Each structure stands twice: as C-alpha cells, then as structure tokens.
Amino acid sequence: MNKKLVLGGGAAAVVVLIAAVWFLFFRNDAPEEVSVDAANAQLDEDLAAAAAEDDDAGDATDDEMAEESDDTPDEADTEDAVVSEEDFDGDVSGTWIIDDEIGDFDFETASGSFAGFRVDEELTVGEVVAVGRSGGVSGSLTIDAGQLTAAEVTVDMTTIVSNDSRRENAIRGAVGANENPTATFVLTGPVELPDGLRDGETVTVDAVGDLTVNGVTNPTTFTISALVRDDGFGIVTGSANIVFEDFDVTPPSAPIVVSIDDNGIVEFQLIVAKG
C-alpha cells in the first residue's frame, strides 16, 4: 500500500513538474496577428509618448534660456515658436516612406514597423505558435491615380527575434540569414485602391509581388489592409501563407518539438509617411 502511495505521489509530482515547465517555458504567449486597429491604437500611444518627451525637453531648454537671459520674447518670436506642421490635406497620392523612428519594436507592444512570420508547433507538452519578427524594415509605397503602383519592402533577417529567445539562432539559420541577410517584397502589378482610403476608412486589397526569402524568389499574394490617419501617418498591415520548402527553408527542430507545420504566415506592419 505504501509503495502504491509513493508511486502515485511520484506520478503526481511528474505531472506538476511538466505543468510548471509548460507554464514557464512553453505556454502559448505568441503575440496577436497584425491588424490595422491594433497598430492604430499603438501608434496613438507612441505619438503621445514622443510628444511628452518633446515637452519635457522643451521645458528644460526654456529653463536654461531663462537663466541665461531676462529678455521677454517679442510677438514675432512667439509666433515662430508655435508654428506647427500643416494639417494633412487628404491627398494620398505620392510616395510613402516606411518610418523607422516612431516606436521601438518589441513583442510586448508590437510598436513601430516590423515584419516576420508565425507557424504552429506541436511540442511534447502541447501546441504553441512560434513567432519571429524583425524591426529592421525599410522601403516605400507609391500611390498614383487611385492605384498602388509600386511597393518595395526590405527586411533585415539578421535582427529577427522570437517570442521564445531559444529559437532565435535556429530561426536565423533556417532562413539563411548569414548568407542572405535580407528578405524583400516587390510589387509586380498595380492594385486598385478603394475610394474609402481617402476618407480615413480602413481598406483591404490583395497585392501580388515577388517575395524573396533565403535568396529564393516566388510570386506571392499578400492580403493588405491600410488606413490613412488625419495626422498624415499611414498604417499598412499584410499577411500571406507560404510553404517553407518553396524558399528552401527547413524549419528547425529540437528534442521537445514533435512537429512543425510545413507552411506558415508571413506578416508585416508598416508605419508610413509621405516623403
């Protein structure tokens, strides 16, 4: 009887240990898929934080200037000090540059511009979603006569990080980051844009282009959503399903990994402004 109790207690301890390992290391804490609404809310927070920093810096400068001079600024000086950027006129035509200054990309906030992938994994202790993202994104989009006529996005694959840091070296190796440090998407045909984009509505279209990963290029269709804000910033999110083998990518394996899907979602979030 005592032996059965010991064995039963040992089994229970193993279950508790597995549960603890799962909670600490393998729980499904993947960030949500990209969305215009989430990016828009985060951009509001980022701009508010930047404005607060500017106010603090301005207050410090004013204090320093006040100590150096007791002169009262004349009316012209005051007017110069309050000049602000012109309001966005609603014209979406032109070249939009990917912004790399607003927000600091991380997995907690999904702030700023970034691109990456997400794929389902089955582990010995359950299922998770593996996510890799890089904040090293550059490029531009061009709109002319109500069409997206050009788009080129470049991603630095050497800076890709994961929601589980233990995956990162394996991910960079799988996508050939050392040999092919950048991934690109280049639009190959014009895309008609809905009129709502000019009116501050979120619009969704399909865009076909050449996706290059690991030095391999394949035609890929991205579902893209876009919003142009009143302040002149644009938000563009997109995703496409790809088969890893098509890009000579072999998903990394580990003892705890039972299987990894042979396909995954490539996604991006871009904050853009007219150049």
Side-chain angles (χ1 to χ4, degrees):
M1 183 68 178
N2 290 338
K3 185 177 181 179
K4 290 182 179 180
L5 288 174
V6 171
L7 291 175
V14 169
V15 170
V16 171
L17 179 60
I18 291 174
V21 169
W22 165 256
F23 180 78
L24 292 174
F25 298 107
F26 301 109
R27 63 190 185 278
N28 195 1
D29 59 351
E32 296 294 327
E33 296 182 16
V34 294
S35 76
V36 166
D37 288 345
N40 192 34
Q42 184 59 49
L43 181 55
D44 282 338
E45 293 185 19
D46 293 337
L47 292 174
E53 290 180 4
D54 288 344
D55 288 343
D56 290 342
D59 290 344
T61 301
D62 290 343
D63 291 342
E64 292 175 1
M65 294 178 63
E67 292 176 0
E68 295 175 0
S69 174
D70 292 331
D71 294 339
T72 301
D74 58 28
E75 184 177 350
D77 291 336
T78 303
E79 289 178 355
D80 289 341
V82 297
V83 170
S84 60
E85 296 182 1
E86 295 182 2
D87 292 335
F88 177 60
D89 61 7
D91 183 10
V92 299
S93 295
T95 299
W96 295 75
I97 308 299
I98 297 174
D99 186 278
D100 61 357
E101 296 182 358
I102 295 176
D104 295 314
F105 164 71
D106 60 52
F107 275 99
E108 295 299 322
T109 61
S111 175
S113 299
F114 60 84
F117 71 90
R118 55 198 310 120
V119 59
D120 293 333
E121 286 184 342
E122 182 181 353
L123 309 180
T124 56
V125 289
E127 296 180 352
V128 298
V129 177
V131 178
R133 289 175 174 175
S134 169
V137 182
S138 60
S140 63
L141 316 171
T142 301
I143 298 175
D144 182 40
Q147 291 184 324
L148 177 65
T149 58
E152 183 167 354
V153 180
T154 299
V155 183
D156 182 356
M157 302 299 281
T158 66
T159 61
I160 198 165
V161 294
S162 174
N163 55 324
D164 186 332
S165 61
R166 290 165 299 174
R167 298 190 186 102
E168 290 171 3
N169 288 334
I171 289 172
R172 293 169 190 161
V175 299
N178 289 335
E179 299 80 11
N180 301 289
T182 59
T184 61
F185 175 76
V186 180
L187 189 73
T188 55
V191 179
E192 196 74 29
L193 299 173
D195 293 338
L197 185 65
R198 297 192 302 267
D199 302 324
E201 299 175 7
T202 298
V203 301
T204 301
V205 296
D206 286 340
V208 181
D210 288 335
L211 176 65
T212 301
V213 177
N214 194 26
V216 179
T217 302
N218 285 298
T220 305
T221 300
F222 276 84
T223 298
I224 294 175
S225 296
L227 168 70
V228 176
R229 294 163 42 114
D230 291 340
D231 58 9
F233 284 107
I235 299 171
V236 183
T237 63
S239 62
N241 192 279
I242 67 167
V243 176
F244 296 126
E245 186 179 359
D246 291 344
F247 295 89
D248 291 344
V249 171
T250 302
S253 61
I256 197 167
V257 178
V258 175
S259 66
I260 303 177
D261 281 0
D262 62 358
N263 63 91
I265 296 173
V266 175
E267 61 182 1
F268 60 79
Q269 172 178 299
L270 309 177
I271 309 301
V272 298
K274 288 183 73 171

